[in-house]
Amino acid sequence: MGKFIGLLCSLWLTSSLAVALELTEREAAGQQLFTQGISAGGGEVIARVGASGAQVPAAVVPCANCHGADGRGRPEGGVRPPDITWRRLTMGFSTLASNGRTHPAYTDASLARAVSEGIDPGGNKLDPAMPRFIMSMRDMTNLTAYLKRLEEQRDPGVQSDVLRIGTLLPQQGPLAELGKVVGEVLEGAVNQVNQAGGIHGRQLQLLVADAGSDRQSAERGLRSLLEDDQVFALLSPLAPALDGHYAELLEPTGVPLIGPLELKTEGPKSRLIFAPLPGVVEQLQALGKFASQSLSPAPGTVLIVYEQQASQQQLAQRLQQRLQHDGWPNVQLQAYQTERLSDTAAQLADASTVFFLGLSNTFSELSARLNQAERHPYLLAVSAQVAGGALGVAEGFNQRVFLAYPFVPSDWTPEGLKALEEIREKSGLGNQHGALQVSAYCAALLLSEGLKRAGRDASREKLVSALENLHNFRTGLTPQLSFGPGQRVGASGAHIVMVDSQAQRFQALGHYISVDSDF
C-alpha cells in the first residue's frame, strides 16, 4: 500500500506540473534542476556551501528550497533570498539588489557566473548563504531556460478569472447527511465571497468529489480533484477513511488543506494543513489542564477510558503524560469494548476521575452503570464525541460532568452570526450539526483571508506563507485564530462546560483554556 500511495502521489505531482505550464525538453530539465537539484542528463551537480565551501549534492539545497517554487524568495533562517524571476533579473541598468547594492541587468553569461562563483554582474559578491553550484554547461543552459519561463508558471487551479477549490464529502451512506450540511455551508461561503467581487478579481469555484465509504474510494475521489479537476487547494474535506493520512498524500503535491473535519485523530502534522479549530487531542489537553487547575490531583485512581483502537490509545497516552506532568499521582489507561461495557464499568468503580474517549451511547451506558453502583466520579470528555448523551446522565452526576468545546456562544459576534444565518436561510439549513457548520464556515473564512493576503499572483506556497503569518484573525464565531511556523491549529485549546443535569443545561466555566504542543 505504501508503494501504491507513493506512485499515486508522484502521478498527481507530475500531472499537476505538466498542466500548469507546458515546457520544452530543455525547460523541463531546467525545472528539475531548479526544484530538485538533479540533472536530467544524469550528470553530477554539486553545491559548495558555507565559508568553508563544503561540497554536498545539489539535491540537498536545490534553488527552490530558498527562492521558492515561484522564484520570488522567502525568508529562511533570517535570510531573505532575492527574487530571481527573469523579469527581475533583467531589469534595466543599475538594478537595486536586496542587499542595497546596484548592478547591471543579468545576462545568460553573468547568471552562470553568479550561480557558479557567487558574483553578480557588478562584480559584487553574493550573500555567502547562497551555495555555489558546480554543473555542466548543458545543465546551466537548461536552468537558465527554465528561469526565463518561471514567471509564467501558475499552480493548478489558478486562472485569470477563476480559482478552483476542492472538497471531499460523503454523498451516500450514514454520513451523507453530514456531507450535505458541510457542502451547503461551503457553497454558501463561496457565494458570499463571489457576490462581494471575488478575491483579486477571481471568482472562487467549489468542486466536490465523493468521499466514498472506504480508503480506496476516498483516494480515488482525492485523485479526481487533484488530477482531473486540478484544484488549487482543499477545503474542509469530510472523509473519515483519510483521517490521519492527508499529510502523506498531499506533501508530494504541495496542495494546501484548510480545515480538515477530523474527529478521532491528532491535529495537523504537515506544514500544508491548517486547522482553524482544535481537534480531539487539543481539547483533551485542555480538559487535563482544567482538571489540574480546578479539580486538583485527588486521591484514588484517575482512569482514561478509550475505545480499543490504536489511534485512541495514542490520544489516551498523551493525556496521561499531561496529567502525570501536572502532578496526578495515579493515572491509568483502560481500553473498552462495546460488547463488554459491564466489565469496564466494574473497573471504574474505584476511580475518582474518569476521562472518556469514545462515542455518545457508550458514554451514556457507562454513566448509567456507574450510577447503579452508586459511584459518581468526575466525568470529562470532548463534546463532539459525547454531547448528545451528556444531558441524559443520572442526577447523581449533576455538575460532575465536564465537556470541552472549541467555541461557545460568548465567542459569537452579531456580524459573524448574521453571516452564518444568511447561509442557513438561503440553503434551508437549520441549527442541526451546528459545530460542523461553524467549523466548515470558519475554514472558508480562513481560506478567503489567506488568498487575499497571498495577492493577485497567487501560488500554493504564498497561501501557506500567508496563513502561517496570520495572527489574531477574527471569525466572529470562534476564539481568535493564530498560526506560526510550528503552529497549524488556529485556536489550540477549548472552553470547558459543566453539565447541569437537573436544570438540563450546559454552563460554560470561565475563560478559554489554551494549551501548548508539548504533550
Side-chain angles (χ1 to χ4, degrees), residues 6-7 23 53 83 96 101 126 137 140 146 161 181 214 228 241 256 292 308 317 321 330 426 465 502:
L7 176 61
L23 301 174
D83 182 336
L96 182 66
R101 296 173 179 165
L126 299 180
M137 183 61 69
M140 188 66 237
Y146 178 65
D161 56 354
V181 169
D214 55 27
D228 299 333
S292 300
Q308 195 164 12
Q317 289 171 339
Q321 293 173 6
N330 187 13
K426 290 184 178 179
S465 178
Q502 290 184 346

Short mmCIF file of all heavy atoms in Angstrom, two decimals, residues 6-7 23 53 83 96 101 126 137 140 146 161 181 214 228 241 256 292 308 317 321 330 426 465 502:
data_model
loop_
_atom_site.label_atom_id
_atom_site.label_comp_id
_atom_site.label_asym_id
_atom_site.label_seq_id
_atom_site.Cartn_x
_atom_site.Cartn_y
_atom_site.Cartn_z
N GLY A 6 2.85 6.13 -2.80
CA GLY A 6 3.94 6.91 -3.34
C GLY A 6 3.82 7.11 -4.84
O GLY A 6 4.05 8.20 -5.36
N LEU A 7 3.47 6.04 -5.56
CA LEU A 7 3.28 6.15 -7.00
C LEU A 7 2.14 7.08 -7.34
O LEU A 7 2.22 7.91 -8.24
CB LEU A 7 3.02 4.75 -7.59
CG LEU A 7 2.69 4.70 -9.10
CD1 LEU A 7 3.87 5.26 -9.89
CD2 LEU A 7 2.41 3.26 -9.51
N LEU A 23 6.26 22.87 -21.01
CA LEU A 23 7.68 23.18 -21.11
C LEU A 23 8.32 22.40 -22.25
O LEU A 23 7.92 21.27 -22.56
CB LEU A 23 8.39 22.82 -19.80
CG LEU A 23 7.90 23.51 -18.53
CD1 LEU A 23 8.62 22.93 -17.31
CD2 LEU A 23 8.11 25.01 -18.61
N GLY A 53 33.18 26.16 2.00
CA GLY A 53 32.96 25.60 0.68
C GLY A 53 32.73 24.10 0.70
O GLY A 53 33.05 23.40 -0.27
N ASP A 83 14.43 37.83 -5.35
CA ASP A 83 13.56 37.44 -6.45
C ASP A 83 14.45 37.11 -7.65
O ASP A 83 15.22 37.93 -8.11
CB ASP A 83 12.63 38.61 -6.76
CG ASP A 83 11.63 38.32 -7.87
OD1 ASP A 83 11.90 37.43 -8.70
OD2 ASP A 83 10.59 39.00 -7.92
N LEU A 96 18.66 47.71 -8.25
CA LEU A 96 18.93 47.69 -6.81
C LEU A 96 18.74 46.28 -6.29
O LEU A 96 17.66 45.70 -6.39
CB LEU A 96 18.00 48.66 -6.07
CG LEU A 96 18.20 48.76 -4.55
CD1 LEU A 96 19.57 49.38 -4.24
CD2 LEU A 96 17.09 49.59 -3.93
N ARG A 101 22.95 47.04 -2.81
CA ARG A 101 23.91 47.33 -3.86
C ARG A 101 23.21 47.41 -5.21
O ARG A 101 22.11 46.92 -5.38
CB ARG A 101 24.98 46.23 -3.90
CG ARG A 101 25.83 46.14 -2.64
CD ARG A 101 26.73 44.91 -2.71
NE ARG A 101 27.58 44.81 -1.51
CZ ARG A 101 28.25 43.72 -1.18
NH1 ARG A 101 28.17 42.64 -1.95
NH2 ARG A 101 29.00 43.70 -0.10
N LEU A 126 27.95 37.74 -3.85
CA LEU A 126 26.61 37.44 -3.35
C LEU A 126 26.68 37.00 -1.90
O LEU A 126 27.76 36.67 -1.38
CB LEU A 126 25.97 36.35 -4.21
CG LEU A 126 25.79 36.67 -5.70
CD1 LEU A 126 25.13 35.49 -6.41
CD2 LEU A 126 24.96 37.93 -5.89
N MET A 137 27.88 22.86 -18.51
CA MET A 137 27.35 23.98 -19.27
C MET A 137 25.93 23.66 -19.77
O MET A 137 25.07 24.53 -19.83
CB MET A 137 28.28 24.30 -20.44
CG MET A 137 27.81 25.51 -21.26
SD MET A 137 27.76 27.04 -20.26
CE MET A 137 29.53 27.29 -20.00
N MET A 140 23.56 24.24 -16.98
CA MET A 140 23.40 25.67 -16.75
C MET A 140 22.48 26.28 -17.80
O MET A 140 21.62 27.13 -17.49
CB MET A 140 24.77 26.35 -16.78
CG MET A 140 24.74 27.82 -16.35
SD MET A 140 24.29 28.05 -14.62
CE MET A 140 22.85 29.13 -14.81
N TYR A 146 14.75 27.55 -18.03
CA TYR A 146 13.58 27.43 -17.16
C TYR A 146 13.33 28.74 -16.42
O TYR A 146 12.17 29.16 -16.26
CB TYR A 146 13.75 26.29 -16.16
CG TYR A 146 12.58 26.19 -15.21
CD1 TYR A 146 11.31 25.86 -15.68
CD2 TYR A 146 12.73 26.46 -13.85
CE1 TYR A 146 10.22 25.78 -14.82
CE2 TYR A 146 11.66 26.38 -12.98
CZ TYR A 146 10.41 26.05 -13.47
OH TYR A 146 9.33 25.99 -12.61
N ASP A 161 -9.54 34.47 -14.22
CA ASP A 161 -10.75 34.97 -13.55
C ASP A 161 -11.39 33.97 -12.61
O ASP A 161 -12.45 34.23 -12.04
CB ASP A 161 -11.78 35.41 -14.59
CG ASP A 161 -12.14 34.29 -15.56
OD1 ASP A 161 -11.50 33.22 -15.51
OD2 ASP A 161 -13.05 34.49 -16.38
N VAL A 181 -24.71 18.87 4.72
CA VAL A 181 -24.63 20.08 5.55
C VAL A 181 -23.34 20.84 5.26
O VAL A 181 -23.35 22.06 5.04
CB VAL A 181 -24.71 19.70 7.05
CG1 VAL A 181 -24.36 20.91 7.92
CG2 VAL A 181 -26.10 19.20 7.40
N ASP A 214 -14.72 3.94 1.87
CA ASP A 214 -13.50 3.28 2.34
C ASP A 214 -12.28 4.03 1.82
O ASP A 214 -12.40 5.01 1.09
CB ASP A 214 -13.48 1.81 1.90
CG ASP A 214 -13.65 1.65 0.39
OD1 ASP A 214 -13.29 2.58 -0.36
OD2 ASP A 214 -14.17 0.60 -0.04
N ASP A 228 -7.79 15.43 -12.20
CA ASP A 228 -8.76 15.78 -13.24
C ASP A 228 -9.22 17.23 -13.11
O ASP A 228 -9.25 17.97 -14.10
CB ASP A 228 -9.97 14.84 -13.17
CG ASP A 228 -9.59 13.38 -13.40
OD1 ASP A 228 -8.58 13.15 -14.08
OD2 ASP A 228 -10.28 12.49 -12.88
N ALA A 241 -12.13 7.95 6.12
CA ALA A 241 -11.16 6.94 5.70
C ALA A 241 -9.76 7.53 5.51
O ALA A 241 -8.77 6.81 5.53
CB ALA A 241 -11.62 6.27 4.41
N PRO A 256 -2.28 22.74 -0.42
CA PRO A 256 -2.70 23.09 0.93
C PRO A 256 -4.09 22.54 1.26
O PRO A 256 -4.94 22.40 0.38
CB PRO A 256 -2.72 24.63 0.92
CG PRO A 256 -1.97 25.02 -0.32
CD PRO A 256 -2.19 23.92 -1.30
N SER A 292 -6.42 19.78 36.33
CA SER A 292 -5.29 20.06 37.21
C SER A 292 -5.46 21.38 37.95
O SER A 292 -5.07 21.51 39.12
CB SER A 292 -3.99 20.09 36.40
OG SER A 292 -3.77 18.86 35.77
N GLN A 308 -11.00 0.74 22.10
CA GLN A 308 -9.83 -0.08 21.82
C GLN A 308 -9.42 0.03 20.35
O GLN A 308 -9.71 -0.84 19.53
CB GLN A 308 -10.08 -1.55 22.19
CG GLN A 308 -8.81 -2.36 22.25
CD GLN A 308 -9.00 -3.67 22.99
OE1 GLN A 308 -10.12 -4.08 23.26
NE2 GLN A 308 -7.92 -4.34 23.31
N GLN A 317 -2.63 8.07 25.77
CA GLN A 317 -1.27 8.11 26.32
C GLN A 317 -0.76 9.55 26.42
O GLN A 317 -0.09 9.91 27.40
CB GLN A 317 -0.33 7.28 25.45
CG GLN A 317 -0.58 5.78 25.57
CD GLN A 317 0.19 4.97 24.54
OE1 GLN A 317 0.60 5.50 23.49
NE2 GLN A 317 0.40 3.69 24.82
N GLN A 321 0.34 11.56 29.91
CA GLN A 321 1.58 12.32 30.12
C GLN A 321 1.28 13.71 30.67
O GLN A 321 1.98 14.20 31.56
CB GLN A 321 2.34 12.42 28.81
CG GLN A 321 2.89 11.11 28.29
CD GLN A 321 3.49 11.22 26.90
OE1 GLN A 321 3.59 12.32 26.35
NE2 GLN A 321 3.86 10.11 26.31
N ASN A 330 -1.78 8.86 40.24
CA ASN A 330 -2.13 7.51 39.81
C ASN A 330 -3.06 7.57 38.60
O ASN A 330 -4.28 7.54 38.73
CB ASN A 330 -2.80 6.75 40.96
CG ASN A 330 -3.01 5.28 40.62
OD1 ASN A 330 -2.46 4.77 39.65
ND2 ASN A 330 -3.81 4.60 41.42
N LYS A 426 -30.63 30.73 3.11
CA LYS A 426 -30.64 30.51 1.66
C LYS A 426 -30.60 29.04 1.30
O LYS A 426 -31.15 28.62 0.28
CB LYS A 426 -29.48 31.25 1.01
CG LYS A 426 -29.63 32.76 1.02
CD LYS A 426 -28.48 33.43 0.28
CE LYS A 426 -28.68 34.94 0.24
NZ LYS A 426 -27.56 35.63 -0.47
N SER A 465 2.37 30.50 3.19
CA SER A 465 3.12 31.54 3.90
C SER A 465 2.19 32.58 4.51
O SER A 465 2.39 33.02 5.65
CB SER A 465 4.09 32.22 2.93
OG SER A 465 4.80 33.25 3.58
N GLN A 502 -29.78 18.53 36.34
CA GLN A 502 -31.07 18.87 36.97
C GLN A 502 -31.78 19.97 36.19
O GLN A 502 -32.99 19.87 35.92
CB GLN A 502 -30.84 19.31 38.42
CG GLN A 502 -30.42 18.17 39.35
CD GLN A 502 -30.29 18.63 40.79
OE1 GLN A 502 -30.27 19.83 41.09
NE2 GLN A 502 -30.17 17.68 41.71
#
